[in-house]
Amino acid sequence: MVGPLAPYARRVAPYARRLKPVYPRRGRVGWRRWIPSWRQWVGAFLTSFGLLGTFLVTAYAMTDIPSNLNSYATQQDNVYFWSDGTPMARTGWVQRQAMPLRDIPPDVRWAVLAAENESFYSDPGISAKGITRALFRTLGEGDTEGGSTITQQYVKNVYLTQNQTVSRKFTEAMISLKLDNAMSKDQILEGYLNTSWFGRGTYGIQRAAQAYYGKDVGKLNASQAAMLASLLKGAGLYDPTLGKANHARAVERWSWILDRMVKIGKLSPQERAKYTEFPEPLKSNPLYDTGEQSDYLMELASQYAKKAAHLTDKQFDLGGYQIYTTFDRKREKALTDAVTKAREQARRNDAKVAANAHYGGSSVAADGRVLAVYGGPDHRKQGYNDSNATTVPAGTAFTPFVYAAGLEHGVHTSRGGPATPVTPESVYDGDDGVPVTTPEGPYWDRSGKKVAAHNDGGTSYGRITLREAMARSVNTPFMQLGMDAGLTTVRRTAEASGLLSSSIGPQVPALSLGNSTPSAIRMASGYATFAAGGTHTEPYSVRRITRNGAPVALTVPHARRAVGAQVAEEVTEALADSFRTAHPGAAAGRTGVSGRAGTTEKDTAAWYVGTADSVSTAIVVYRIDLARSLEPLPLDGLAGTSADSVPYTLWSAATGLG
């Protein structure tokens, strides 16, 4: 080598030659001939250490604290629209109110630090041990959970994306180191507490305190603070109101956080001893509720939007979404006004009975669009959605599915024999108290008694066709038809038509007379299948979603064949006969209208389900004392009489026939 560096090169050359691997090594035998010397090992280590140090110093010097906050720090509301495109509601799902650290009690701060980063005030902004653990998890299991200090979490919240990648984790660490030198620990903690997600659509400790306990953060005690701190590990898993498993996890972590506060000297053992009872939060966020019917609509729409767009609760809570629903403003008003009027009348008639009254309603188009629902009187007082509840039996409103099963699949008069076709003119025994039979003889229940079918009022009708039995609401033929067609076939037909499998009752003869407990939405959806010529489309409440104007991909429900077109037409014709027979005045001059009342054996629910202008509407009236149980109570006249039915009155108002 020539030039100014030549003298230095000559000095280094002997040492370099020693480090240079020469294989096989002289003076060694066997496998040792191929193993590097200790000098080579030391040289490799020092070189790697130097390169790594150079890389980290360079990366630190080149990393700047971003000047732009990301979307996690600049949240927006979600906006809901009616089907005509006009605004329905602008929700406060994304709620945050920045609080100065001085206004956040020490117990609250230390509950969070005990849960997330007890060494916050002494660490350099990152945890080398935690980052190493997270990197190993990434390489070994494909995720980067764990290993984050408060500073790192704050950096992720306000500067970076939530993507779980090694590059994001490295950038997070570099910015955290710089931020720890640029800001005081109190400033970082204040920012973290005001930007963290606590579930229920809330960002920041102040809104979380209001959402879970209905009070400002300054009024929280250590026990409540520990519960809120547990949510930072994942509100979807630790919000105790979301289920039993969540509740158990929340209680365990709450207790652990309080114990940690004692261990690090931020809570005295005497005060810890006071907190033996878990501080149950409010059942729902009081910041959301307006008390209006739109709260129930938004609840349904948000649930569907997250499912159809594959959004997590946290993503949805970030806001900025425009949710275009299927809800028809005029139909919704007509249904709500009608139920409000019925409630007032019920209170005047019998205030005690009316106190436990529930009215569920839904209108579903033949193509699956949910056009209107009635969920309850006030979402602030009753979060329980009566339109989507699967609590009371469908009763005889279920019989069209039995009729469709028989028409579609025929009946079996002998065990294992071929199916015999059934038509609307097939004749059955319409007498009251007719024993239910199988190919082998009478059907016996577990108590050793013959099972018999009964008609409303104990009326007998003699031999009667299935179509006439549907028109005149005769029950006994359909219980026998269900046995002849097969209860498994009845179940499958009901599910194919839109009823949820979880709501189908036990497969005993009573299945055919409605021991299943479908919601009003699902009953309307099932009848809409007949109106759609036998094709079923899953009910949906959102037709389009955008985020800041950009379309969001949705999983769209598609129509599928449930029963044959001819069968659907025959069921619809029988239901039209039923409507004309029961309400000749309303049917005069009208076409395309069909419907059927539904009663239950123990008088715990009254239904009216029918179709008008290709829109199916289901109304159910029942009584339940939600403060005690979900066991239905006797109606005690709440639903009116068969000649003056409250469900039919509401149905006719909702469909424009009233």
Side-chain angles (χ1 to χ4, degrees):
M1 172 181 273
V2 295
L5 297 178
Y8 301 102
R10 284 194 294 271
R11 292 180 185 177
V12 173
Y15 300 100
R17 280 195 295 272
R18 292 180 185 178
L19 293 173
K20 179 182 178 181
V22 177
Y23 296 103
R25 294 174 61 201
R26 291 187 297 274
R28 299 290 188 273
V29 295
W31 57 270
R32 292 182 178 84
R33 301 170 64 198
W34 304 96
I35 300 300
S37 68
W38 67 269
R39 295 183 183 87
Q40 291 167 342
W41 281 113
V42 172
F45 174 78
L46 293 175
T47 300
S48 300
F49 186 80
L51 290 174
L52 178 61
T54 302
F55 171 73
L56 291 176
V57 170
T58 303
Y60 179 83
M62 295 180 64
T63 299
D64 293 321
I65 299 174
S67 57
N68 296 325
L69 301 181
N70 66 19
S71 59
Y72 286 79
T74 54
Q75 306 305 320
Q76 305 171 63
D77 289 340
N78 289 327
V79 184
Y80 295 77
F81 297 88
W82 292 101
S83 60
D84 62 4
T86 56
M88 181 172 76
R90 179 181 294 274
T91 67
W93 298 115
V94 179
Q95 302 180 38
R96 182 176 59 216
Q97 178 182 340
M99 293 292 289
L101 192 64
R102 64 176 179 273
D103 293 337
I104 301 174
D107 279 347
V108 177
R109 301 182 219 169
W110 282 106
V112 170
L113 293 176
E116 297 293 309
N117 185 190
E118 65 183 58
S119 63
F120 169 72
Y121 279 101
S122 60
D123 66 40
I126 64 171
S127 167
K129 180 179 177 181
I131 291 176
T132 302
R133 183 172 65 250
L135 290 175
F136 272 113
R137 287 177 61 85
T138 302
L139 296 174
E141 303 176 24
D143 65 57
T144 58
E145 294 181 2
S148 293
T149 63
I150 290 287
T151 306
Q152 288 174 264
Q153 292 182 51
Y154 175 60
V155 167
K156 181 177 65 175
N157 286 348
V158 300
Y159 297 123
L160 303 176
T161 69
Q162 303 296 302
N163 296 334
Q164 301 289 347
T165 63
V166 174
S167 61
R168 199 274 295 155
K169 196 73 178 177
F170 180 78
T171 303
E172 172 192 299
M174 291 297 103
I175 296 177
S176 297
L177 284 170
K178 279 218 161 179
L179 198 69
D180 196 71
N181 289 324
M183 296 174 64
S184 71
K185 288 290 189 179
D186 281 352
Q187 287 175 315
I188 294 172
L189 181 58
E190 179 181 301
Y192 174 76
L193 291 173
N194 283 314
T195 57
S196 293
W197 183 67
F198 287 85
R200 295 194 177 184
T202 60
Y203 282 80
I205 192 70
Q206 166 70 348
R207 288 301 194 193
Q210 295 171 338
Y212 287 91
Y213 290 107
K215 61 177 68 175
D216 290 335
V217 65
K219 297 181 180 179
L220 295 176
N221 59 35
S223 178
Q224 294 165 334
M227 200 293 291
L228 293 182
S230 71
L231 300 171
L232 293 168
K233 194 172 178 66
L237 293 173
Y238 289 88
D239 182 343
T241 64
L242 298 182
K244 291 183 179 179
N246 270 39
H247 193 277
R249 279 190 292 267
V251 171
E252 181 181 5
R253 188 156 177 81
W254 160 79
S255 181
W256 178 84
I257 291 171
L258 288 174
D259 291 341
R260 294 292 296 175
M261 292 177 70
V262 174
K263 184 177 180 180
I264 63 178
K266 299 302 177 182
L267 186 68
S268 68
Q270 293 77 18
E271 188 172 4
R272 171 66 180 93
K274 297 178 185 177
Y275 303 126
T276 58
E277 187 174 341
F278 182 70
E280 299 289 351
L282 301 173
K283 292 183 178 180
S284 62
N285 186 349
L287 301 173
Y288 298 168
D289 299 340
T290 65
E292 298 177 358
Q293 197 62 210
S294 59
D295 291 340
Y296 296 102
L297 305 185
M298 289 186 294
E299 179 183 55
L300 288 172
S302 64
Q303 290 173 352
Y304 183 84
K306 285 182 281 190
K307 180 180 179 181
H310 308 288
L311 300 171
T312 65
D313 288 343
K314 190 170 184 178
Q315 287 173 321
F316 193 75
D317 286 349
L318 294 178
Y321 291 98
Q322 296 80 47
I323 299 100
Y324 296 87
T325 75
T326 60
F327 300 123
D328 184 292
R329 184 204 296 264
K330 292 181 180 178
R331 286 182 179 272
E332 184 64 35
K333 186 177 187 306
L335 177 57
T336 301
D337 289 349
V339 177
T340 300
K341 184 178 179 180
R343 282 187 179 279
E344 293 172 352
Q345 184 61 51
R347 280 193 290 267
R348 287 193 293 268
N349 293 343
D350 191 331
K352 185 177 180 181
V353 169
N356 298 319
H358 290 264
Y359 303 78
S362 178
S363 293
V364 178
D367 60 4
R369 288 174 296 130
V370 181
L371 302 181
V373 301
Y374 183 85
D378 188 330
H379 194 266
R380 294 169 300 185
K381 300 176 182 178
Q382 181 189 301
Y384 181 88
N385 189 333
D386 287 318
S387 73
N388 205 29
T390 55
T391 304
V392 294
T396 53
F398 185 85
T399 54
F401 303 111
V402 182
Y403 188 37
L407 294 175
E408 180 80 9
H409 300 284
V411 298
H412 295 269
T413 55
S414 62
R415 189 72 66 191
T420 301
V422 168
T423 72
E425 303 309 316
S426 295
V427 176
Y428 273 75
D429 192 336
D431 282 345
D432 184 67
V434 176
V436 176
T437 62
T438 70
E440 289 77 23
Y443 184 96
W444 303 82
D445 64 19
R446 291 184 177 181
S447 63
K449 296 181 180 180
K450 289 182 181 180
V451 174
H454 295 279
N455 295 318
D456 290 344
T459 306
S460 292
Y461 296 84
R463 304 290 288 176
I464 189 171
T465 67
L466 289 174
R467 179 167 178 168
E468 187 178 359
M470 181 66 71
R472 300 176 66 183
S473 298
V474 184
N475 300 336
T476 53
F478 293 103
M479 184 176 277
Q480 185 60 52
L481 177 62
M483 296 299 295
D484 295 344
L487 296 178
T488 298
T489 300
V490 171
R491 178 190 182 102
R492 289 174 180 168
T493 302
E495 291 177 1
S497 299
L499 272 61
L500 295 177
S501 60
S502 58
S503 71
I504 302 297
Q507 286 190 198
V508 295
L511 174 69
S512 298
L513 293 186
N515 65 8
S516 300
T517 57
S519 67
I521 291 176
R522 286 291 170 171
M523 279 296 280
S525 176
Y527 275 55
T529 297
F530 303 131
T535 61
H536 172 68
T537 304
E538 279 290 284
Y540 63 98
S541 56
V542 176
R543 57 188 175 85
R544 184 165 67 96
I545 299 177
T546 59
R547 188 162 196 267
N548 297 326
V552 175
L554 291 180
T555 300
V556 180
H558 297 287
R560 53 180 172 76
R561 177 62 59 185
V563 296
Q566 182 177 347
V567 169
E569 183 179 354
E570 289 170 343
V571 173
T572 299
E573 288 174 352
L575 290 171
D577 289 345
S578 176
F579 176 71
R580 285 191 292 269
T581 300
H583 307 284
R590 289 297 303 262
T591 59
V593 181
S594 59
R596 196 202 194 295
T599 56
T600 58
E601 182 180 2
K602 296 182 180 180
D603 191 36
T604 55
W607 292 79
Y608 198 89
V609 191
T611 303
D613 301 322
S614 298
V615 174
S616 297
T617 299
I619 302 292
V620 59
V621 177
Y622 60 101
R623 293 179 64 233
I624 284 181
D625 185 349
L626 291 175
R628 295 187 176 183
S629 73
L630 291 180
E631 274 301 308
L633 302 171
L635 286 170
D636 289 343
L638 179 70
T641 64
S642 57
D644 184 24
S645 163
V646 171
Y648 172 74
T649 301
L650 298 177
W651 180 87
S652 60
T655 55
L657 295 173

